[in-house]
């Protein structure tokens, strides 16, 4: 295989990475649409209310926030699938280049009393297999997050339990529509997918290229996301037990904000040139005895 033949799939992978980066960045923007509550009158307390209450069926702006959630989910799903195919193409191109380094151009070089063929070959360092598998699992988890977020937008709450005592009482008594339970399931799947994606993609980045922004800043975002998730879970438990909200809204907003920041960092990571897949010339020489 020629050098040009191995570079074509690599170039295609770079284009796919850039497309995935743009789509994920748009997804991150859509996922932070809840910040519009700072300038729009929603009637909900951002410190106490679930983020999903903004999209409740009885809220005046519910349609807007359901649409942005659906958009965010579909964009993240598309970006994750595109990035996953780009990762597979990069790995395949790297392996092909390593295998074909013997297909080279040879020139004769004369030295003192001996003739040595000078061999110039492309050296492409393919991603480590473990990093490739971890990255693939991370993209699958991110795709699950995107799909669950899109489904979540189609299963809105019927009312806002943190601000409406009647709604809270009906929810406790099990008199709300089944969409409340379905919404809880889809939200849980979305957050589990997000957490898995953050952990796996950060681990893959640190194995692949420790100098990348994702490898350097990803661990800090992962730790912050885990802390925000613990805060949110504790607040939900307190609210369910009738002990107040424990600033549930603030904790959950921090949680989703950190996911959006990670998506933006992931987009930056994809848009950068892949250091581990670059091609460098290597020269090898073998002496042949003079006749």
């Amino acid at each position: 295989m020629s050098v040009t033949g191995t570079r074509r799939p690599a170039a295609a992978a770079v284009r796919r990475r850039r497309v995935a980066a743009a789509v994920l960045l748009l997804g991150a923007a859509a996922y932070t649409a809840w910040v519009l509550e700072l300038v729009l009158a929603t009637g909900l307390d951002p410190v106490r209310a679930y983020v999903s209450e903004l999209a409740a069926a009885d809220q005046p702006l519910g349609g807007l926030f359901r649409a942005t959630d659906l958009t965010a989910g579909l964009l993240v799903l598309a970006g994750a699938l595109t990035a996953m195919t780009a990762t597979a193409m990069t790995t395949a191109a790297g392996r092909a280049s390593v295998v074909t380094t013997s297909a080279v151009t040879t020139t004769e070089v004369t030295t003192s009393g001996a003739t040595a063929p000078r061999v110039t070959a492309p050296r492409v360092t393919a991603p480590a297999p473990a990093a490739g598998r971890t990255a693939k699992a991370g993209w699958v988890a991110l795709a699950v997050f995107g799909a669950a977020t899109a489904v979540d937008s189609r299963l809105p709450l019927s009312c806002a339990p943190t601000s409406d005592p009647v709604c809270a009482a009906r929810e406790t008594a099990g008199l709300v529509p089944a969409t409340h339970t379905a919404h809880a399931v889809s939200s849980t799947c979305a957050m589990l997918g997000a957490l898995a994606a953050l952990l796996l993609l950060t681990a893959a980045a640190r194995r692949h290229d420790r100098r990348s922004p994702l490898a350097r800043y990803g661990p800090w975002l992962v730790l912050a996301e885990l802390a925000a998730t613990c805060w949110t879970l504790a607040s939900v438990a307190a609210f369910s037990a009738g002990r107040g909200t424990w600033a549930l809204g603030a904790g959950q907003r921090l949680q989703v904000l950190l996911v959006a920041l990670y998506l933006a960092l992931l987009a930056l990571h994809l848009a950068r040139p892949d250091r581990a897949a670059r091609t460098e010339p290597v020269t090898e020489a073998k002496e042949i005895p003079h006749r």
Side-chain angles (χ1 to χ4, degrees):
M1 183 184 294
S2 67
V3 175
T4 303
T6 61
R7 284 178 177 172
R8 283 176 182 170
V14 169
R15 289 193 295 270
R16 282 180 180 260
R17 283 170 62 95
R18 289 174 179 169
V19 170
V23 173
L24 287 175
L25 193 59
L26 291 173
Y31 197 59
T32 55
W34 54 268
V35 299
L36 292 173
E37 68 181 338
L38 299 177
V39 296
L40 299 175
T42 63
L44 298 174
D45 182 357
V47 176
R48 300 177 68 252
Y50 289 104
V51 175
S52 55
E53 289 182 64
L54 293 168
D58 68 343
Q59 295 301 303
L61 298 175
L64 169 64
F65 291 108
R66 288 193 294 274
T68 55
D69 282 349
L70 176 62
T71 301
L74 293 178
L75 285 171
V76 172
L77 174 60
L81 294 177
T82 304
M84 185 162 56
T85 59
T87 300
M89 292 171 67
T90 300
T91 303
R95 287 174 178 170
S97 298
V98 170
V99 170
T100 58
T101 51
S102 59
V104 296
T105 301
T106 304
T107 57
E108 294 294 325
V109 180
T110 301
T111 59
S112 58
T115 302
R118 185 173 181 175
V119 183
T120 303
R123 173 177 291 169
V124 178
T125 305
R133 288 192 297 269
T134 304
K136 183 178 179 180
W139 293 122
V140 170
L142 191 65
V144 169
F145 163 71
T149 299
V151 170
D152 208 38
S153 71
R154 304 299 90 192
L155 299 169
L157 300 174
S158 64
C159 53
T162 62
S163 62
D164 184 353
V166 175
C167 176
R170 290 175 57 213
E171 191 172 59
T172 301
L175 300 176
V176 291
T179 52
H180 280 242
T181 301
H183 181 86
V185 172
S186 59
S187 294
T188 300
C189 290
M191 197 44 59
L192 288 175
L195 287 172
L198 265 65
L199 289 167
L200 291 167
L201 291 173
T202 300
R206 290 182 64 79
R207 288 179 180 179
H208 189 56
D209 181 6
R210 284 181 174 267
R211 293 170 293 180
S212 71
L214 187 62
R216 285 183 291 167
Y217 304 118
W220 298 106
L221 283 176
V222 170
L223 291 175
E225 179 65 21
L226 290 173
T229 299
C230 290
W231 176 5
T232 302
L233 291 175
S235 299
V236 170
F239 179 67
S240 299
R243 299 179 179 178
T245 62
W246 289 19
L248 188 159
Q252 194 180 48
R253 280 161 178 76
L254 176 60
Q255 188 183 33
V256 297
L257 177 62
L258 289 169
V259 171
L261 289 176
Y262 191 89
L263 289 174
L265 182 63
L266 197 56
L268 175 62
H269 174 74
L270 289 170
R272 291 175 73 250
D274 190 351
R275 290 177 180 271
R278 64 186 180 183
T279 303
E280 298 176 351
V282 57
T283 301
E284 298 177 0
K286 182 174 70 173
E287 278 199 8
I288 298 176
H290 178 69
R291 294 180 179 179

